[in-house]
Amino acid sequence: TQRLDLYVGKHSFSADQIAGLAPKFERVLRAAEDYFGTTLQRRISIGFYSTPPKRGVRGMAYTSDGRVELYYRPDEETSRAVTVAMHEMGHHLEAQRYGEAAQRRADTILHEGLATWIASIRWLDQCGASSWRERGRQLRDSGIPLRLLTAERSGADNAYELWASFVDYTVRQ
């Protein structure tokens, strides 16, 4: 695309699937930039692979190398991959805005919460929520404890959503 290099790994999405996703990736990058108020100044490579480095991992951002890795099999839903890509590109925007040294010092709650918050437009839509406040209420009402430090016990997505709610609250305050 204009600013993204896309690579196809073995046993992941097909070249045709990725070509179909390319314009969406460029659109979500622009949306993330607008939402966060930072414009990406370098190209990012996005590679698609089937085997993650750790169970449950769907994406990794390597900001110092200017790359993202996404882990999906060919039969999986592409829509969620676009949201995960937006989150991982959020890490690149975070590194650009605050610097890589500051990014490395950030704790998990702020680091992952900010990237999820940057991906709000897609992430909240997939949750069926109009705001992070509403999403927090949905989680609470479903029995998920709203505890930032132990959020991962309720699942990675729930943790990221709680952390994004915290970032959203902090930004609004």
Side-chain angles (χ1 to χ4, degrees):
T1 71
Q2 185 179 5
R3 297 178 296 159
L4 304 170
D5 297 317
L6 306 175
Y7 295 91
V8 182
K10 291 183 180 180
H11 311 296
S12 186
F13 293 147
S14 69
D16 288 341
Q17 284 175 301
I18 293 172
L21 291 173
K24 293 178 185 177
F25 287 132
E26 193 67 39
R27 281 195 303 272
V28 297
L29 174 57
R30 274 189 241 109
E33 291 170 328
D34 291 345
Y35 196 71
F36 191 47
T38 298
T39 302
L40 190 65
Q41 299 298 314
R42 67 189 274 192
R43 292 188 73 76
I44 295 177
S45 297
I46 301 177
F48 293 83
Y49 307 96
S50 62
T51 307
K54 181 179 162 186
R55 183 185 156 125
V57 172
R58 299 307 267 179
M60 295 287 293
Y62 298 94
T63 56
S64 60
D65 298 336
R67 67 187 171 95
V68 167
E69 292 182 1
L70 297 177
Y71 308 101
Y72 283 86
R73 292 179 306 283
D75 59 339
E76 291 187 272
E77 176 59 43
T78 59
S79 178
R80 183 73 173 141
V82 175
T83 303
V84 173
M86 189 176 194
H87 169 94
E88 300 305 336
M89 288 187 281
H91 286 303
H92 284 272
L93 293 170
E94 171 193 5
Q96 182 173 305
R97 181 183 232 171
Y98 301 116
E100 294 208 25
Q103 185 186 38
R104 281 190 294 275
R105 288 191 311 270
D107 70 6
T108 301
I109 292 171
L110 289 175
H111 184 60
E112 296 301 341
L114 182 58
T116 305
W117 181 82
I118 291 169
S120 290
I121 295 164
R122 287 196 58 90
W123 200 297
L124 287 170
D125 185 54
Q126 288 184 334
C127 295
S130 61
S131 68
W132 287 112
R133 179 181 288 179
E134 180 183 348
R135 183 60 184 152
R137 287 183 183 132
Q138 289 173 344
L139 292 170
R140 180 200 64 208
D141 293 348
S142 70
I144 303 293
L146 301 183
R147 296 186 188 106
L148 293 178
L149 297 178
T150 59
E152 288 177 291
R153 293 179 189 163
S154 299
D157 281 352
N158 292 335
Y160 281 39
E161 292 164 9
L162 287 174
W163 298 337
S165 295
F166 172 72
V167 168
D168 184 66
Y169 172 80
T170 303
V171 167
R172 284 186 289 108
Q173 293 306 307

